[in-house]
Amino acid sequence: MPRSMLWLLIAAPTIVLIIVFSVLLSQGGERQERRAEVRTSGEALVGGPFELVDHTGATVTQDSYAGKAMLIYFGYTYCPDICPFSLQVMAAAMDQLDADERARIQPILITVDAERDTHEQMASYVSSPAFPDGLVGLTGNEDQIAAVARAYRVVYQRAEDDGSGDYLMDHSSIIYLMDNDGRFVDVFSSNIDPRDLAQRLQDFLEDNPG
């Protein structure tokens, strides 16, 4: 398959997701400032239970982060550009929050490259000072990664390599905000301005103080 067609297949679901979520979020009246509120009707079917391994080697589930909002990005440690850029956007947004606000949000990277991203590899990667403080890296076997990607409507596929054994992963690139109970709240393009992302996070925290 031509690479241009492959990227179209990968990008199309992401674009559709963002459009659909944007339409859902815009409903409910003309508001000058949109707040990131948890929806109780017309809720998007994104997210759900998972069982993965964190970068310390511990088995975790969605309940491991109960009581905190989750800011989740799907990527992989060998990604040359878009993944580190997206995590830096998250970091820049989190840096604009105060200490109490940051403590209420757990940033998470879930790999789409189960073959190479062992928990040891994830541990080395998430420790980068360019990434959000306290970033958790989650990995698992192929079935576990496929299940969580399916739950979050993430599309990914291994790209053809050059025969050297090195390869890239084509994947959708969006950031998810989940509430303290693991329910979907909002979705953001990975190239969102960090100031806008920070404001959306503060709106959510203000609307959901508990």
Side-chain angles (χ1 to χ4, degrees):
M1 178 185 297
R3 190 168 180 79
S4 59
M5 289 296 296
L6 179 59
W7 271 110
L8 179 61
L9 291 174
I10 295 295
T14 301
I15 295 170
V16 171
L17 271 175
I18 293 173
I19 292 172
V20 170
F21 292 155
S22 296
V23 170
L24 287 173
L25 292 170
S26 67
Q27 293 175 347
E30 295 181 358
R31 303 179 63 182
Q32 295 300 315
E33 179 179 343
R34 190 183 66 77
R35 312 285 285 191
E37 299 175 348
V38 177
R39 282 165 292 284
T40 57
S41 62
E43 187 173 348
L45 298 177
V46 175
F50 60 78
E51 181 175 306
L52 297 168
V53 177
D54 73 11
H55 62 270
T56 72
T59 297
V60 298
T61 70
Q62 71 286 347
D63 294 332
S64 302
Y65 309 104
K68 284 189 174 185
M70 295 184 291
L71 195 63
I72 302 175
Y73 181 77
F74 286 77
Y76 67 111
T77 67
Y78 291 84
C79 183
D81 41 41
I82 187 62
C83 298
F85 173 79
S86 301
L87 293 171
Q88 289 169 32
V89 167
M90 288 170 56
M94 294 284 288
D95 285 346
Q96 296 179 52
L97 309 183
D98 64 34
D100 289 339
E101 291 170 332
R102 289 195 299 272
R104 295 174 57 194
I105 299 176
Q106 177 59 64
I108 296 174
L109 168 65
I110 301 179
T111 187
V112 294
D113 187 5
E115 180 177 338
R116 292 180 297 188
D117 281 342
T118 62
H119 76 264
E120 295 92 349
Q121 174 65 20
M122 295 293 279
S124 175
Y125 190 74
V126 301
S127 66
S128 170
F131 299 159
D133 290 340
L135 178 65
V136 168
L138 300 183
T139 187
N141 61 38
E142 295 283 356
D143 290 340
Q144 289 172 315
I145 297 303
V148 69
R150 206 161 40 241
Y152 280 82
R153 307 298 189 262
V154 170
V155 180
Y156 67 98
Q157 181 174 320
R158 177 171 167 165
E160 296 181 6
D161 60 46
D162 58 6
S164 67
D166 294 330
Y167 60 88
L168 299 177
M169 298 293 294
D170 293 324
H171 61 94
S172 49
S173 181
I174 49 181
I175 299 168
Y176 299 88
L177 176 62
M178 313 299 287
D179 74 5
N180 295 13
D181 297 314
R183 295 173 301 185
F184 171 79
V185 176
D186 217 339
V187 64
F188 313 101
S189 167
S190 61
N191 64 357
I192 185 173
D193 187 307
R195 293 169 297 183
D196 293 337
L197 178 55
Q199 185 61 60
R200 303 273 283 275
L201 296 177
Q202 288 173 325
D203 288 346
F204 166 75
L205 294 174
E206 181 181 338
D207 290 337
N208 299 273

